[in-house]
Amino acid sequence: MTAGAPTAGLAIETRGLTKRFGRQTAVDGISLAVPRGSVFGFLGPNGSGKTTTIRMLLGLARATGGRIRVLGQDMPHSWQDVLPRVGALVEGPAFYPFLSGTANLQRLDAADGRAPSSTRSARAGEALERVGLTHAAGKKVRAYSLGMKQRLGIAGALMLPRELLVLDEPTNGLDPQGTREVRSLVRSLAAGGTTVFVSSHLLAEVEQICTHAAVMSAGRLVAQGSLDELRAAGRRQVRIQTPDGDAARRVLLDLGLAPEPGPGNGAPVTAPLDYHLAPERIVAALVAADVRVRGFSVEATSLEERFVALTGEGFDVAH
Amino acid sequence: MLRIDPDTTGRGPRTTAVRRGTAGWALLGSELKVLFRRSRTWAMLLALAAIPVLIAVVVKIASSGPDPGEGPPFLDRVSQNGLFAAVTGLVVSIPLFLPLTVGVVAGDTIAGEAGLGTLRYLLAAPAGRLRLLAVKYAGAAVFCLAATVSVVAAGIGIGAALFPVGPVTLLSGDTITPGESLLRLLLVAGYVSVSLLGLSAVGLFISTLTVVPVGAMAATVVLSIVAQVLDSLPQLEWLHPWLFSHYWLGFADLLRQPVEWGSFVDNALLQAGYLAVFGALAYARFARKDILT
Ligand SMILES: Nc1ncnc2c1ncn2[C@@H]1O[C@H](COP(=O)(O)OP(=O)(O)OP(=O)(O)O)[C@@H](O)[C@H]1O
Ligand SMILES: [Mg+2]
């Protein structure tokens, strides 16, 4: 795999993937398309079905309906070929509290029948170093803090080189420094050609590291695409209250904006706003053209607002 | 600090070459390590070892020995020959203490991993569901042997320390040397370990049904007691040969000259039957189970 260049094809592809728990539909006919080489953000509020989807991708839970292909092969049918190439963190880390960090990593690695025993302890040491846990390698996991366990979980996913990493809320419980470290880790893994599928309910996090995203809401996939595509679907707009409507529209045209043709003077003037044009420049231009500005606002249908709109109330947006 | 090593970020050719057919036994080794690094395992083995010690010490400090036929079988022989502390210890442990510890280990096999959440990581590794079940059962079987051996070894040790050790008179009246009797003790330990394999298979199956390990442990132990109760009801005689506990105390034939293998074979066949049936049930259940913990 060449560094940085996405390989043709999809790392994850689902068709109509559905999971029902009794009468509740946790995942409702979702069709994911995760391009190889992408960093794919899987967004959604609590209980929207992210973890359930990930469990099905990894063959932990059986789908009620639909098809799954991971790294070009059917899951769960081809788990023996697929899973050794996938590193995973599912719904938080889980370890044997009475074993040390190193022993826990070695235990997980031994579970993969194809992982070479001869390099096991060396690889555990490397993985611990990459997540900054070398100093706690020999400590019992019982004595780890939440963030240390989370780091150890990430180390477990990195014990072997992977083609696909599935990380379910990897920054959960991490301090700001740890969050930054995970971000830079994800970036460099992606630069090395690994596809990273990362679930989160933090939009800010997804915006910073992802090339693509999908949004879940109550078990349904409500949006999917590259980050640019998602942004384009919801632009900001300016809204100007002025008695001089026609003059205002001329100013906006001069600035390269495309104001909506209004009914003339009196009604508010609106125009979609490009990201590179600072709103204060518009105000300055309007004033310079003697437009009487009585109100000026930027209505930000940012990615954030769009996700709030998509997923309804209660969406956890962190800044 | 998160350090990025470009050699290990992509799928390197080095590892693809090595990752084939190695480490088939690594999971079993790892399973045994996890089992024997737990303090709980050692606490149970120590408790089992304490049983013959307790018996020997009580016999030693009691002024008069018990009359023949009083107390557990072989108790009256302990003061004459220390090796009988091991046999008496086994006879006392078989109805409750051994099934209790085996029930804890066998009931914990899958449910314990599910409860910890490590089951999802083992299966995503991927361990493979059949392979994981087999390794878990093998771990429980090793524990059966360790449990029996710890009773026997502690019995030999304390018996030799407190009482004379001499030639042993067998149930058939023949006398064998102490060296030979050690071999017989090993044989008995093997018999008792094999006796517990059926219960382990039942525990493995129960363990696939729940994510609460304590529940699986308790259910397994309760079943072992129910089986012994049923085995004691004469009205159910037709059922007795099918109960996994039926041959538990039947190792007397190994203390005759020559050794009578009949009950050893019957016991082994019965336990193998339980393993086949409950192993299959466990796989049928586990293979299609949703791992949601
Ligand atoms: N074992 C289960 N039995 C019944 N319902 C379940 C089970 N696991 C999950 N659910 C339901 O499925 C839905 C999706 O849960 P899931 O864990 O996938 O959400 P999530 O998007 O990962 O949420 P979070 O952000 O909180 O991790 C929820 O409504 C939940 O109640
Ligand atoms: Mg979740």
Side-chain angles (χ1 to χ4, degrees), chain A residues 112-158:
Chain A
D112 177 359
R114 292 200 239 168
S117 309
S118 51
T119 56
R120 182 161 296 136
S121 59
R123 286 184 289 115
E126 273 174 41
L128 285 167
E129 197 188 331
R130 287 171 79 178
V131 299
L133 276 182
T134 306
H135 65 283
K139 211 173 177 176
K140 297 252 190 300
V141 167
R142 182 185 291 126
Y144 274 33
S145 71
L146 174 63
M148 287 163 80
K149 283 185 198 148
Q150 189 75 17
R151 285 165 185 255
L152 190 60
I154 296 171
L158 299 177

Side-chain angles (χ1 to χ4, degrees), chain A residues 218-286:
Chain A
R220 290 173 178 278
L221 197 64
V222 289
Q224 174 171 230
S226 75
L227 235 48
D228 289 337
E229 284 165 2
L230 291 171
R231 275 201 193 98
R235 286 242 167 110
R236 299 185 299 173
Q237 65 170 11
V238 288
R239 185 181 190 85
I240 302 156
Q241 306 278 355
T242 173
D244 311 322
D246 290 329
R249 270 186 277 276
R250 270 195 302 279
V251 171
L252 292 177
L253 275 170
D254 288 345
L255 285 170
L257 299 179
E260 266 122 53
N265 293 326
V269 177
T270 60
L273 180 59
D274 280 332
Y275 268 84
H276 50 258
L277 184 59
E280 58 270 24
R281 278 192 51 204
I282 302 172
V283 183
L286 288 169

